[in-house]
Amino acid sequence: MQPARIAPRIAPRDRLIVALDVPSVAVAEAMIDRLGDSVTFYKIGYQLGYAGGLTLAKQLAGSGKKVFVDLKLHDIGNTVARGVESVAALGATFLTVHAYPQTMKAAVEARAGSGLKILAVTVLTSYDDADLHAAGYRLNVSDLVEARARQAQALGVDGLVSSPEEAAALRKIVGDQMNLVTPGIRPAGSATGDQKRIMTPARAIAAGADYLVVGRPVMEAADPKAAAEAIHTEIAQVLA
């Protein structure tokens, strides 16, 4: 099963996904108001998702924004499928699942007929080779990412989440058949934080990433809207 061919053109302003990693819907809404039309795409993960964020996701989708629900589903197939159906009903654009074959297969089948796209998480960007080995994996990061990417493509998954460091290699594997979504984006001068595999927006786009997930560099900026606009400018310069 192969995913539908990805349109070669993505609106440049849709390539930035701002991560709403905040503790409440009220805080998220205040940031959304500050960002205004500078951001078209938001990510809602565990922190906000468990604090009423899924209701906000539906509201954002209803207002014309794109929403990435980052819940990284991984469970028995039936449980994953029911979760996917619920997220699809919110009007979300993306949903993450962990890149295990049974999980990916269940998610792809459950999203059929909806506008939801499934993204497979290859290896978390906070992991390096030592972390994988400590968790019992014999493969290193690059080899495991490649193996999971090939499995995801064969199962009809719509896109991959990986470090920007793997974007170029993944693009060679999947061509333009899958979206590549990269967290671990840090504009020049930003703090690394707990990420270990990072890249600037320009380098990530040049490497083949379609979408950039940015949290703290925008959310914690003195002027979040200006920070978002600076990233848009950097993306546009690469695509020009």
Side-chain angles (χ1 to χ4, degrees):
M1 182 192 308
Q2 294 294 326
R5 188 176 181 83
I6 302 299
R9 296 294 298 173
I10 301 167
R13 297 186 75 81
D14 287 347
R15 290 176 179 268
L16 170 62
I17 303 175
V18 171
L20 292 172
D21 295 330
V22 294
S24 71
V25 170
V27 173
E29 289 177 333
M31 179 58 68
I32 291 165
D33 287 342
R34 290 186 70 183
L35 290 168
D37 59 5
S38 66
V39 174
T40 64
F41 212 146
Y42 287 100
K43 179 178 84 73
I44 294 175
Y46 290 156
Q47 184 182 24
L48 184 57
Y50 293 143
L54 296 184
T55 297
L56 177 62
K58 187 170 185 177
Q59 293 170 351
L60 285 170
S63 70
K65 299 289 188 182
K66 298 179 184 297
V67 183
F68 170 10
V69 177
D70 186 19
L71 294 182
K72 299 181 181 71
L73 302 186
H74 180 47
D75 210 309
I76 63 172
N78 183 67
T79 299
V80 169
R82 301 293 82 79
V84 169
E85 290 169 358
S86 293
V87 173
L90 299 175
T93 300
F94 290 154
L95 168 67
T96 46
V97 303
H98 277 291
Y100 290 81
Q102 288 185 17
T103 295
M104 293 189 289
K105 182 176 184 294
V108 167
E109 291 175 352
R111 68 92 164 94
S114 74
L116 182 65
K117 290 182 170 58
I118 301 299
L119 305 178
V121 177
T122 52
V123 176
L124 296 174
T125 56
S126 62
Y127 276 43
D128 57 18
D129 290 346
D131 294 313
L132 284 183
H133 298 159
Y137 289 89
R138 288 178 292 178
L139 296 177
N140 60 27
V141 168
S142 60
D143 290 338
L144 184 56
V145 167
E146 179 177 338
R148 287 178 164 175
R150 293 187 186 281
Q151 289 177 325
Q153 185 178 34
L155 289 168
V157 172
D158 303 289
L160 300 167
V161 178
S162 74
S163 152
E165 289 185 1
E166 286 97 46
L170 288 175
R171 188 56 72 196
K172 291 179 181 178
I173 293 170
V174 304
D176 62 358
Q177 295 290 321
M178 301 177 78
N179 285 309
L180 297 185
V181 180
T182 57
I185 301 299
R186 293 291 184 268
S190 297
T192 299
D194 56 0
Q195 302 285 9
K196 294 182 178 177
R197 293 162 19 244
I198 63 172
M199 195 173 284
T200 64
R203 287 185 61 206
I205 292 292
D210 293 307
Y211 297 91
L212 311 181
V213 179
V214 183
R216 284 165 282 189
V218 171
M219 299 290 288
E220 297 179 1
D223 186 341
K225 188 169 186 176
E229 291 293 352
I231 295 171
H232 286 312
T233 298
E234 192 171 335
I235 291 171
Q237 289 172 342
V238 177
L239 296 174

